[in-house]
Amino acid sequence: MRTLIMVALLAFNPITMGVVVGVQWRNEFNASLAKGYAERNYARVCPEYKAASTWDRWFDSNIRLIGWCDDYLDRV
């Protein structure tokens, strides 16, 4: 019983909830920044990704970093 009370106090503590909400907000904010970057730059970056072979997509570190271009290949 004591453990249940301690877990409830820890889980519903305003500080704990603030940290959880802050981390969630940060993750959503970073995702929106990445999505905005991709929307602005896919026309310039993704043709190189589209022209790369599967081998290059898997093993070339420069091409692998632009793997987000998979979502934009239909627009290129």
Side-chain angles (χ1 to χ4, degrees):
M1 183 68 176
R2 181 187 294 173
T3 305
L4 181 63
I5 292 172
M6 293 300 290
V7 168
L9 287 175
L10 180 62
F12 298 108
N13 184 335
I15 295 171
T16 304
M17 295 304 292
V19 169
V20 168
V21 170
V23 168
Q24 182 180 7
W25 178 85
R26 184 198 64 196
N27 290 340
E28 291 172 359
F29 181 72
N30 287 342
S32 71
L33 289 178
K35 179 84 171 159
Y37 173 82
E39 289 290 330
R40 287 189 309 273
N41 295 306
Y42 77 89
R44 183 178 54 85
V45 175
C46 292
E48 180 183 358
Y49 184 80
K50 187 175 184 176
S53 67
T54 303
W55 179 266
D56 288 335
R57 290 181 187 180
W58 286 355
F59 295 108
D60 185 353
S61 61
N62 293 328
I63 301 295
R64 194 172 2 142
L65 287 174
I66 57 175
W68 53 266
C69 281
D70 278 336
D71 299 335
Y72 297 92
L73 289 180
D74 59 334
R75 297 186 194 179
V76 176

